[in-house]
Amino acid sequence: CSSDLHVTDGADSTLLAVSLSDRSVPWSNPEDLDLGQLQAAFSNASSEQPVLVLFCDGSVEAFREPISPGRVRAMVTKAGND
């Protein structure tokens, strides 16, 4: 992922895909989310509705607590040196 996309922020901290428990999207028909939608999803993260994240290095993390809009922005940039 990092060599093809020129991820300079680090593949382990750059978001590649998310799974949201409150959205039903078939894997065969993925949808793009804009930054505002992602920030809203992360601000509502909880144990009951975690945000599952696939990072560019292949690692997966479940966010079970809200995170700031700035951190979400940093996770979606590939070269912002965030």
Side-chain angles (χ1 to χ4, degrees):
C1 175
S2 61
S3 63
D4 292 341
L5 299 177
H6 305 289
V7 175
T8 60
D9 280 351
D12 62 337
S13 61
T14 302
L15 185 149
L16 181 63
V18 298
S19 178
L20 306 176
S21 60
D22 64 344
R23 290 181 61 113
S24 178
V25 177
W27 68 267
S28 61
N29 190 25
E31 294 178 4
D32 288 336
L33 298 173
D34 64 30
L35 181 58
Q37 291 171 306
L38 281 174
Q39 290 171 325
F42 279 101
S43 71
N44 293 318
S46 66
S47 295
E48 296 80 25
Q49 290 191 341
V51 177
L52 302 177
V53 174
L54 170 64
F55 290 97
C56 283
D57 69 346
S59 65
V60 176
E61 185 175 344
F63 288 83
R64 293 182 168 88
E65 295 182 3
I67 63 172
S68 72
R71 183 166 175 209
V72 175
R73 179 184 302 273
M75 291 188 329
V76 300
T77 62
K78 66 179 184 174
N81 297 317
D82 308 295

